Amino acid sequence: VREKGRRRSDAILDAATTLLVDEGYARLSMRRIAARAGIAPGNLQYYYPTKQDVVRALLDRWLARARADAAAAGRERPPEHRLLASLDAVLAEASDANCRLFWDLWALAARDPIVARATRTFYDRYRDAVADALRTVRPTVGRAVAQRRAMLVVALLEGLSVLRIGRPRTGMPDAALRRELRTLVLHLAKEIP
Amino acid sequence: VREKGRRRSDAILDAATTLLVDEGYARLSMRRIAARAGIAPGNLQYYYPTKQDVVRALLDRWLARARADAAAAGRERPPEHRLLASLDAVLAEASDANCRLFWDLWALAARDPIVARATRTFYDRYRDAVADALRTVRPTVGRAVAQRRAMLVVALLEGLSVLRIGRPRTGMPDAALRRELRTLVLHLAKEIP
DNA sequence: TGTACATCAGTGAACGCGCGTTCACTGATGTAC
DNA sequence: TGTACATCAGTGAACGCGCGTTCACTGATGTAC
């Protein structure tokens, strides 16, 4: 009696995620999630009593997966190339849909402490991974310094997604900007005392 | 008969702005705006036929003012200090309320082309101002290069606002991080070929 | 100076809608005897 | 092997709410004669 329930609650999160990515949080409703998952509203409430519960579960799962993906992608590279390879990977994954989801996430986090906590955990892990990469490139920098610099790198990447607002839909920044970005990050990693 | 109307439509935008900053877009409604402005719903519709009209007018006015303020603040400084002084000014102005408003703005821009256009115009001007400051520090860099580097600086600042999500409410990043930021931006302005 | 009239500014009830959530109820499934 | 029963999974109507918007109507204000 439990296997069916687990598959169902997963399917519900799948439906909710699809809706959230495609149409944004403003158009996400319990009734639409239920319809998308092919169940009655009452059954949705059986698994997730309130809308907040669905959203929190959805984001927990999503952020955990994003972290796992990023960790796996990083591990496959030789250490020296890890930093720049990760840059490219992040830029490549920053599709329009993903960006929109993050913007909704930030707005949501401003009002829901649990979402804020999940978001913060996500970025903490993200920063730590970048800090590791920085110390691989130059092991002499201290842990704390590397973490601060990693924070700047993460800020750069997240900020770049914002600056794409209203631009003709390009998957990522243009080549020249990407070159400037690589140069700046390399300087931060190798040159700045 | 026209002066009264102009004052009224301004007061409506004031009321809407207060609500948006205090409670976020999710809780912004025509009825609440009307109540806040002390008028009947029908009268609100007389000035702004739809909710979209209010929001667009509100953001237009708000972004224009932010641009004007930033320009004025920059003009008062000696050119050499302009870059770092602006950094501090931006960080100081990034209050919790302002951040929340920007997050709502980005989410909104993803679904409303007119909001997206206003947002883009805002960031274009922002980037141009930073590019000017960069060229003041080192006039030998080309216009295009300066613009790209300015974009990285703007991305850094906007990204830092995102990374404050879920952190104990500090007005700005801590001193050590701020030092790293200044160092990085100075390197970008002065050292990187 | 008074009056007719168009326009501006404003009211508040009403419509219809989608929402989150509740609830009484039903069938399916596993377990204990 | 059959039966009683608790629990799991699921239905769909209903409640009450706030929403954006419409609309018929009213008063205030300026303008033309």
Side-chain angles (χ1 to χ4, degrees):
Chain A
V1 202
R2 218 182 279 109
E3 169 61 16
K4 196 183 180 188
R6 242 195 23 247
R7 261 188 291 115
R8 183 68 89 190
S9 59
D10 252 21
I12 290 173
L13 294 188
D14 291 341
T17 303
T18 304
L19 281 176
L20 186 56
V21 168
D22 288 353
E23 317 204 32
Y25 182 74
R27 292 175 59 82
L28 188 71
S29 79
M30 293 296 268
R31 293 164 126 87
R32 283 161 65 91
I33 294 170
R36 182 98 199 187
I39 61 178
N43 198 16
L44 173 53
Q45 245 81 9
Y46 173 72
Y47 289 99
Y48 300 99
T50 70
K51 186 181 179 184
Q52 220 177 33
D53 293 322
V54 188
V55 172
R56 289 171 175 179
L58 182 169
L59 289 176
D60 267 349
R61 202 185 67 165
W62 195 75
L63 293 176
R65 282 183 183 173
R67 270 205 310 262
D69 288 356
R75 241 178 274 115
E76 286 162 11
R77 305 281 177 168
E80 314 85 48
H81 300 150
R82 204 173 283 172
L83 187 60
L84 288 184
S86 302
L87 275 196
D88 284 339
V90 169
L91 291 179
E93 265 194 36
S95 64
D96 281 350
N98 269 335
C99 287
R100 273 184 282 131
L101 202 149
F102 267 102
W103 300 335
D104 277 338
L105 172 66
W106 299 334
L108 227 50
R111 259 92 204 176
D112 184 332
I114 293 196
V115 171
R117 164 177 284 271
T119 307
R120 182 191 166 166
T121 302
F122 172 80
Y123 280 120
D124 282 352
R125 295 270 206 293
Y126 188 173
R127 180 205 56 196
D128 291 345
V130 174
D132 279 353
L134 285 175
R135 277 167 59 81
T136 303
V137 172
R138 181 162 46 144
T140 54
V141 299
R143 237 174 243 291
V145 173
Q147 282 214 341
R148 277 184 229 112
R149 292 181 176 176
M151 200 152 166
L152 296 182
V153 173
V154 174
L156 247 174
L157 292 172
E158 297 302 289
L160 279 177
S161 90
V162 167
L163 294 189
R164 284 192 356 209
I165 287 177
R167 301 198 173 263
R169 46 185 55 263
T170 52
M172 53 170 82
D174 62 64
L177 181 59
R178 231 155 50 231
R179 245 179 287 123
E180 290 286 349
L181 173 65
R182 291 167 70 108
T183 306
L184 178 61
V185 172
L186 274 184
H187 261 258
L188 182 64
K190 290 181 152 169
E191 311 290 341
I192 294 181
Chain B
V1 202
R2 220 183 275 108
E3 170 60 15
K4 195 182 180 189
R6 245 198 17 252
R7 262 188 290 116
R8 184 67 91 187
S9 59
D10 252 21
I12 290 173
L13 294 188
D14 291 342
T17 304
T18 303
L19 280 176
L20 186 57
V21 168
D22 288 352
E23 316 205 32
Y25 182 75
R27 293 175 57 83
L28 188 72
S29 79
M30 292 297 268
R31 288 161 191 275
R32 283 161 63 90
I33 294 169
R36 182 100 198 185
I39 60 178
N43 197 16
L44 174 52
Q45 244 81 10
Y46 173 74
Y47 289 99
Y48 301 98
T50 71
K51 186 180 178 183
Q52 221 177 33
D53 292 323
V54 188
V55 172
R56 288 171 175 178
L58 181 169
L59 289 176
D60 267 348
R61 201 185 67 165
W62 196 75
L63 293 175
R65 283 183 184 175
R67 270 206 311 262
D69 287 355
R75 240 179 275 116
E76 287 162 12
R77 305 282 177 169
E80 315 85 45
H81 301 150
R82 206 173 281 172
L83 187 60
L84 289 184
S86 303
L87 276 196
D88 283 338
V90 170
L91 292 179
E93 265 194 35
S95 64
D96 281 350
N98 269 335
C99 286
R100 274 185 280 132
L101 202 149
F102 266 102
W103 300 334
D104 276 339
L105 172 65
W106 299 334
L108 226 51
R111 259 91 204 175
D112 184 334
I114 293 196
V115 171
R117 163 179 285 271
T119 307
R120 182 192 166 165
T121 302
F122 172 79
Y123 280 119
D124 281 353
R125 295 270 206 293
Y126 189 174
R127 180 205 56 196
D128 291 346
V130 174
D132 278 353
L134 286 176
R135 278 167 57 82
T136 303
V137 173
R138 182 162 46 144
T140 52
V141 299
R143 236 175 245 290
V145 173
Q147 282 215 339
R148 278 184 228 112
R149 293 180 175 176
M151 199 151 167
L152 296 182
V153 173
V154 174
L156 247 174
L157 292 172
E158 297 302 287
L160 280 177
S161 89
V162 167
L163 295 189
R164 282 191 358 207
I165 286 176
R167 298 196 176 264
R169 47 185 55 262
T170 51
M172 53 171 79
D174 62 65
L177 180 60
R178 230 155 51 230
R179 244 179 286 123
E180 289 288 346
L181 173 65
R182 291 169 70 110
T183 306
L184 178 61
V185 172
L186 273 184
H187 261 258
L188 182 64
K190 290 182 150 169
E191 309 290 341
I192 295 181

